[in-house]
Amino acid sequence: MRIKGLVFFARICYLPCTVNAAAAPTHDSVVKRAGAAGGWKFAARIIVAISLLASGAFAQTTIPETDPPLRPIQNMFEPLSTPALKIHETSIPVLLICAAIFCVVTTLLVFIVWKFRQRNEEDRHVEPPQVYGSSHIELAWTVIPIIITVVLILITARTIGEIQNAKIPDDALRIRVIGHQWWWEVHYLKQNENGEWVTDFIAANEIHVPVGTREEPKMTHMILESSDVIHSFWVPQLAGKTDLVPNRKNELWIEPWATGTYLGNCAEYCGTQHAKMKIRVIVEEQDVYEAWAQNQRTPPPPPPANVALGHKLFMDYACANCHTVDGTIADGVFGPDLTKLMTRRTLGSGAVDNTPENLFKWVRDPQAADMKPGCLMPDMKMLDSEVREIVAYLETLK
Amino acid sequence: MNPHAPGANPAADIDLQPVAPGSERGSLVALIQDLVFTVDHKKLGLMYFGSGLLFFVVAGIMAALMRYQLAIPNHGFLEPDVFNRLFTMHGTAMVFLVGMPMIFAFANYLIPLMIGARDMAFPRLNAFGFWIFLFSGILLFFSYIAGPGLYDAGSAPDVGWFAYSPLTARAFSRGHSTDYWTISILLGGIGSIATSINILVTIFCYRCKGMTLGRMPLLVWLYIVVAFLVVIALPPLSACQIMLLLDRFLDAKFFDTQAGGDAVLWQHFFWIFGHPEVYILILPGFAIASEVIPVFSRKPIFGYPVMVAASVMIAFISLGVWAHHMFAVGMTSFGNTFFAISTFLVAIPTGIKIFNWLGTMYGGKIRLRPPMLFCIAFLFQFLIAGLTGVMLAVAPFNWQLTDSYFVVAHFHYVLIGGLLFTIFAGVYYWYPKCTGRMLDEKLGLWHFWLFTIGFHLTFFPQHIAGFLGMPRRYYTYDAGRGWDEWNLISSIGVVIQAAGILFFVYNLLHSYFKGAKAGDDPWDAWTLEWATTSPPAEYNFEKPQVVRSRRPLWDLKHPDDPDWKYE
């Protein structure tokens, strides 16, 4: 899909432009993986890397080596999970049919315009034979589209059933994803003694799921809900998008077979910061996932003495009204649960990388142009010294 | 020559009406008076066109600002709220304040001329329709100034052109911006319905002698279909706007999900209007192509009855496909399958139409003048738009494609590649009739090539950005996701398109004063509007017209081999 020359052209063109340095969490990994790619790809990535360096966007390293590879380019024709694969397999015959129609009709059009164009002025005075129609020909070009349509209907109906009516296996990981303006609340579910699915632990914005194989898939089943307006969950390499509609429970399932950090987006316009309501799905080996989940379940220890002031400020200021930290009086539900904040790679639902500098800038003023202007967390007008204390406290939440 | 010019005819200067100072004939005040008081279908048609063109330029500049913001990743040119207002206003204006008046411009100007009538059936209703449309447009843009209202929140609407609830609820859209949007749409809808009823009555009751339904020009037939669609599709839109107003002002709970209302209800109402609306906008494009292609191929339209039948079929099917805009909201597999199937059915009559246009050109002597060039480009682009439409109808594929830049590309191929190109064709074709002067051919070619190249450069890459997962309505995006180069190309294309539009507007003005004299029938055409003077007198025709076939002027020019022998 990528044309290398154009990449180069594009980079050259915008080198002198201003780019927000902080708001680009993905570049470093693009570069890091360059060595593994083939010759041409490698060359293209080098160009990308150089131009990013030059544009100042190449600021921090945030994805630790142990993380699964970043998958920033979500080409829907390179599926890595069952529903996305089924869609891909449906789309190929559709694309072929469309391409064939396109070629036939365009050829006809060009041929007709070329062959029957008026060539000179004398030509002008003699009218061509006047033909009013032909029922045989018209019948032919009615029947052919009908046949094509029937084929398309059969292909489509089958895939709809396969994806929407799939059975949820017993070993599926079940989660609830709740859309908020402009972030994602994620409940990992477990079955209680009555067989009901209840919350095991809560995460936000970054969804860790275990990987399967194509032979033995591991399903993650999501219930999609919304607390305010309509959002849409879309990670193209994993599945098609499904909306999160308030008052409804929609479903989505994925069966990824390749580890990776998949980038996705909210795909239904949901207000000011729709563009920075990003999704990360981290697909990892079962044991890595288990370790992560176990850590998420573990209640945090009481705050160490050296961050007691930050802890107090957090609880005294309005922070605690919107955010939850397990084991403290902070139990707000308007913003993301911060109990395990430092296990996340990004802040503000993918707005910026979760680095100490960014965390400081975020707490001081999330409305800044290089953070997430318009997000529902206000500028608290705190002193820098207070912000530093609070950040020190937040950094213990892992 | 203007008989009222001073000195030409002294008797004409004597006027029994008292004349206010500054309002002598020919003065600016007189011109404004004339425009305000007129009920003439031709002047109203031109006024629809002029105001549509004005809104087109404004909404086009908005698009250019957005493309500048998106030219590079993480560009800080526009704030998120400003960007969100821009795409909302761009979409609303292009559909309701450009598309609708443009199609009514052609309807108003041409239908009475083509059926040999002296005016529309209800001239004053016609003027009412125009003025209420203009008012709704001004109201919408006035929101930029007045939208903050008492709450000092919001400015122009920023809820997207289809304004999905509950984003429009007072909890999420404070201030009055959404109220401006909804009242503007409500008013515009009233104007559209009034004009459509007028079109229907005119066509059914005011055709000249001999013009049976089967002898009407295809354009007139297509406008019957369009007018019926407007009358059927606009009321649901008005209904949901009223429901929204009740929600916002009287705390009704239609769409208030926190009180048990239904967010998807709005979508059903909106799209049961919204999908027919697509055909309301594209069928006039078909109508213009169906007039221009035969004349410039020197052949009658191929398969006239089938063309009519296909148009009626498209209209019928279009009333049953609306939920294909909603494949991702979580309908049942049955619902998704039903709407996928009904959508595929549209492809059949549409395919017939494309083939019939090709059949018309086949064996003709194609004159590659500007109107025809725009029609040929239209055929090519509408083919692409139709095929991407088929892809979108495949519900599972739609789960990937919907709300991505692929959709943006698709509907711009429909509305620009389909509608706007045929509007340009129509302007080049009928400008001589409206003004008595030809549009400059050289400027026209510049316009055509620049605009066509710019158009494809802008919108084709957006298909690919969509394949790579770029959602629509994003004010910014990160580098490194494969979207950068496509967005940059797209933004470069805008510059070329804008240059094309400059040539067009310059051509309109330049040729009005300096264009070659056109004469009554510069294209050697066959329908009735070419039988009268250019521009036509206020009464259109001196004598009542009588027709015996679909091409009355062909019969006149070829008495030895008239059409009526074969029909």
Side-chain angles (χ1 to χ4, degrees):
Chain A
M1 267 309 155
R2 290 160 67 85
I3 300 170
K4 276 77 195 178
L6 290 173
V7 177
F8 183 70
F9 179 61
R11 305 295 163 178
I12 295 299
C13 286
Y14 71 70
L15 283 187
C17 304
T18 43
V19 175
N20 289 339
T26 58
H27 313 136
D28 41 334
S29 311
V30 173
V31 178
K32 210 184 298 159
R33 295 192 304 131
W40 274 106
K41 264 190 180 158
F42 180 73
R45 298 232 159 124
I46 291 292
I47 294 164
V48 172
I50 292 169
S51 53
L52 285 173
L53 272 170
S55 63
F58 187 59
Q60 314 100 14
T61 303
T62 55
I63 300 254
E65 294 292 340
T66 52
D67 266 23
L70 193 68
R71 299 190 184 276
I73 295 172
Q74 288 286 316
N75 186 345
M76 62 176 72
F77 297 113
E78 289 170 9
L80 295 171
S81 149
T82 310
L85 178 72
K86 285 187 190 300
I87 293 174
H88 175 66
E89 285 169 348
T90 310
S91 69
I92 294 303
V94 175
L95 285 168
L96 289 178
I97 290 173
C98 289
I101 298 173
F102 175 79
C103 292
V104 170
V105 178
T106 308
T107 313
L108 260 175
L109 178 66
V110 171
F111 166 76
I112 290 172
V113 170
W114 182 256
K115 174 104 194 285
F116 297 106
R117 73 191 192 283
Q118 182 192 293
R119 281 151 211 270
N120 48 45
E121 269 310 296
E122 290 98 79
D123 224 15
R124 217 186 138 87
H125 303 294
V126 190
E127 301 281 16
Q130 302 293 298
V131 180
Y132 299 90
S134 153
S135 28
H136 285 99
I137 298 175
E138 286 165 50
L139 189 68
W141 63 48
T142 310
V143 170
I144 295 169
I146 289 176
I147 295 170
I148 295 173
T149 303
V150 171
V151 173
L152 287 169
I153 288 172
L154 294 177
I155 299 172
T156 304
R158 195 187 133 161
T159 314
I160 292 175
E162 280 181 354
I163 294 179
Q164 282 199 282
N165 304 332
K167 263 196 69 179
I168 309 172
D170 292 337
D171 69 334
L173 170 66
R174 296 197 185 220
I175 60 180
R176 256 173 91 201
V177 179
I178 302 166
H180 293 261
Q181 281 183 326
W182 294 278
W183 59 282
W184 310 86
E185 180 180 343
V186 187
H187 290 240
Y188 284 73
L189 305 181
K190 63 176 179 195
Q191 229 166 355
N192 67 7
E193 57 275 17
N194 299 330
E196 291 156 348
W197 289 95
V198 295
T199 301
D200 182 2
F201 58 89
I202 299 175
N205 301 330
E206 299 176 14
I207 303 173
H208 289 248
V209 300
V211 70
T213 61
R214 291 182 76 158
E215 294 73 36
E216 284 178 47
K218 173 79 183 162
M219 181 190 277
T220 299
H221 181 266
M222 305 181 193
I223 302 281
L224 304 177
E225 296 168 67
S226 169
S227 72
D228 38 48
V229 301
I230 301 178
H231 306 277
S232 192
F233 188 96
W234 190 29
V235 184
Q237 285 187 309
L238 297 180
K241 63 180 75 60
T242 305
D243 291 354
L244 296 82
V245 184
N247 267 3
R248 292 195 173 211
K249 283 187 165 66
N250 279 342
E251 293 177 46
L252 181 71
W253 56 278
I254 56 175
E255 279 176 355
W257 60 75
T259 58
T261 300
Y262 294 75
L263 298 190
N265 301 75
C266 175
E268 184 64 80
Y269 175 64
C270 55
T272 308
Q273 272 298 357
H274 170 52
K276 289 189 182 170
M277 185 168 167
K278 300 174 201 171
I279 304 165
R280 276 179 181 231
V281 177
I282 297 110
V283 179
E284 52 202 6
E285 298 296 343
Q286 184 74 32
D287 51 337
V288 182
Y289 166 75
E290 291 294 350
W292 174 83
Q294 193 50 43
N295 176 43
Q296 298 287 313
R297 273 185 213 112
T298 318
N306 61 337
V307 297
L309 180 56
H311 175 76
K312 184 176 181 319
L313 287 168
F314 185 91
M315 301 306 157
D316 289 353
Y317 280 119
C319 313
N321 292 343
C322 292
H323 294 285
T324 294
V325 179
D326 281 353
T328 72
I329 59 162
D331 59 354
V333 293
F334 295 109
D337 187 315
L338 299 182
T339 310
K340 297 287 170 183
L341 174 66
M342 297 317 287
T343 63
R344 295 182 200 142
R345 301 292 171 232
T346 62
L347 298 171
S349 201
V352 289
D353 289 344
N354 187 0
T355 62
E357 311 89 270
N358 279 342
L359 188 56
F360 175 82
K361 282 160 96 179
W362 180 275
V363 175
R364 190 181 55 187
D365 182 13
Q367 302 293 332
D370 57 348
M371 293 284 128
K372 196 168 173 179
C375 74
L376 297 184
M377 176 167 161
D379 172 6
M380 300 299 290
K381 315 269 185 215
M382 289 182 287
L383 300 174
D384 280 4
S385 56
E386 294 173 321
V387 175
R388 232 168 267 128
E389 294 295 338
I390 289 176
V391 168
Y393 166 61
L394 291 177
E395 282 176 348
T396 65
L397 300 175
K398 49 191 168 194
Chain B
M1 186 171 181
N2 181 0
H4 299 301
N9 180 0
D13 287 339
I14 300 168
D15 202 331
L16 295 178
Q17 299 290 325
V19 177
S23 70
E24 295 82 14
R25 281 182 188 281
S27 72
L28 185 65
V29 178
L31 178 73
I32 292 170
Q33 271 189 355
D34 194 27
L35 292 182
V36 172
F37 295 144
T38 189
V39 292
D40 177 28
H41 73 99
K42 296 180 290 297
K43 280 183 189 146
L44 284 167
L46 294 176
M47 281 152 73
Y48 266 121
F49 181 80
S51 33
L53 191 64
L54 194 71
F55 285 123
F56 171 77
V57 171
V58 173
I61 290 170
M62 290 177 150
L65 292 174
M66 289 189 281
R67 278 312 332 161
Y68 182 60
Q69 161 76 6
L70 292 176
I72 56 167
N74 292 314
H75 198 187
F77 174 61
L78 294 176
E79 312 242 310
D81 277 331
V82 174
F83 186 91
N84 296 345
R85 282 172 203 136
L86 282 178
F87 73 67
T88 303
M89 293 294 276
H90 168 80
T92 309
M94 283 296 189
V95 171
F96 294 102
L97 307 178
V98 180
M100 294 303 266
M102 284 292 185
I103 68 167
F104 287 137
F106 284 91
N108 256 303
Y109 200 97
L110 294 172
I111 288 172
L113 285 169
M114 281 188 163
I115 62 174
R118 294 216 147 148
D119 204 319
M120 297 289 275
F122 308 119
R124 271 175 289 189
L125 185 68
N126 202 10
F128 167 78
F130 169 78
W131 288 106
I132 201 158
F133 141 73
L134 192 64
F135 177 68
S136 82
I138 292 168
L139 191 70
L140 184 69
F141 278 92
F142 189 64
S143 64
Y144 263 111
I145 303 166
L150 292 174
Y151 306 96
D152 198 31
S155 156
D158 60 353
V159 289
W161 87 272
F162 40 74
Y164 274 2
S165 68
L167 196 59
T168 50
R170 276 169 79 174
F172 306 109
S173 173
R174 279 169 292 171
H176 285 306
S177 59
T178 299
D179 303 321
Y180 274 89
W181 182 84
T182 180
I183 293 172
S184 165
I185 303 291
L186 193 57
L187 290 175
I190 293 170
S192 301
I193 292 172
T195 309
S196 296
I197 291 172
N198 204 355
I199 290 172
L200 287 174
V201 177
T202 308
I203 297 175
F204 284 130
C205 304
Y206 286 76
R207 296 191 307 277
C208 68
K209 203 171 171 192
M211 185 168 285
T212 58
L213 286 178
R215 286 183 193 158
M216 295 191 307
L218 260 187
L219 181 137
V220 180
W221 249 115
L222 279 154
Y223 267 105
I224 292 186
V225 177
V226 168
F228 266 117
L229 274 181
V230 170
V231 173
I232 295 168
L234 264 289
L237 178 71
S238 305
C240 67
Q241 304 296 351
I242 291 169
M243 287 152 85
L244 180 59
L245 283 173
L246 291 175
D247 265 14
R248 286 181 63 88
F249 287 107
L250 302 181
D251 282 338
K253 312 290 185 200
F254 292 109
F255 310 121
D256 184 350
T257 46
Q258 281 159 7
D262 191 348
V264 179
L265 181 66
W266 169 272
Q267 299 187 18
H268 282 293
F269 267 94
F270 192 89
W271 290 120
I272 206 167
F273 147 78
H275 202 80
E277 170 72 8
V278 176
Y279 294 97
I280 290 168
L281 291 175
I282 196 64
L283 285 174
F286 291 178
I288 294 168
S290 301
E291 293 303 317
V292 172
I293 290 175
V295 169
F296 287 81
S297 306
R298 310 308 303 157
K299 279 179 64 203
I301 191 83
F302 191 90
Y304 175 97
V306 176
M307 287 297 256
V308 172
S311 311
V312 175
M313 209 174 134
I314 287 176
F316 268 110
I317 299 171
S318 79
L319 293 169
V321 300
W322 75 91
H324 70 209
H325 295 263
M326 299 160 56
F327 281 140
V329 301
M331 292 189 293
T332 60
S333 56
F334 175 78
N336 284 333
T337 312
F338 176 87
F339 284 102
I341 292 174
S342 64
T343 308
F344 285 132
L345 294 182
V346 183
I348 299 169
T350 314
I352 294 173
K353 289 188 89 88
I354 290 185
F355 282 121
N356 274 6
W357 285 316
L358 290 176
T360 307
M361 289 157 69
Y362 188 92
K365 286 185 180 168
I366 300 168
R367 296 181 180 167
L368 293 174
R369 309 287 294 278
M372 190 61 182
L373 288 175
F374 277 106
C375 280
I376 292 169
F378 151 76
L379 286 175
F380 174 69
Q381 285 146 197
F382 192 71
L383 173 68
I384 295 176
L387 293 174
T388 53
V390 168
M391 295 179 204
L392 283 163
V394 179
F397 204 9
N398 183 287
W399 293 329
Q400 290 282 22
L401 298 174
T402 188
D403 274 312
S404 76
Y405 258 84
F406 186 87
V407 172
V408 177
H410 163 72
F411 67 70
H412 282 92
Y413 264 79
V414 176
L415 291 177
I416 298 181
L419 176 62
L420 187 61
F421 269 72
T422 48
I423 285 177
F424 286 142
V427 170
Y428 281 89
Y429 183 55
W430 282 295
Y431 186 90
K433 181 48 64 184
C434 305
T435 63
R437 290 179 189 266
M438 306 295 286
L439 277 171
D440 189 273
E441 192 108 2
K442 232 181 212 155
L443 291 173
L445 288 177
W446 275 101
H447 168 209
F448 172 75
W449 286 110
L450 284 173
F451 195 76
T452 309
I453 292 167
F455 163 73
H456 285 281
L457 214 53
T458 304
F459 293 105
F460 197 79
Q462 295 185 358
H463 291 111
I464 298 162
F467 285 148
L468 296 174
M470 181 168 177
R472 66 196 282 202
R473 300 177 162 179
Y474 268 28
Y475 80 96
T476 188
Y477 57 94
D478 286 330
R481 302 221 32 199
W483 305 340
D484 320 7
E485 49 269 41
W486 308 114
N487 275 289
L488 183 68
I489 299 169
S490 190
S491 296
I492 292 170
V494 171
V495 180
I496 305 174
Q497 279 191 79
I501 295 293
L502 281 182
F503 273 100
F504 173 62
V505 173
Y506 175 72
N507 199 356
L508 286 182
L509 299 173
H510 170 84
S511 302
Y512 185 78
F513 300 104
K514 304 223 168 119
K517 286 268 192 312
D520 293 351
D521 183 13
W523 307 114
D524 194 5
W526 305 311
T527 39
L528 273 186
E529 76 270 27
W530 305 103
T532 184
T533 51
S534 303
E538 218 159 313
Y539 43 80
N540 289 354
F541 301 97
E542 281 179 31
K543 285 183 278 186
Q545 301 291 305
V546 182
V547 301
R548 297 185 68 186
S549 77
R550 286 172 205 145
R551 297 192 296 169
L553 269 62
W554 170 276
D555 297 349
L556 217 63
K557 293 167 189 168
H558 303 267
D560 47 315
D561 187 27
D563 256 7
W564 49 264
K565 278 190 184 168
Y566 307 98
E567 281 176 8

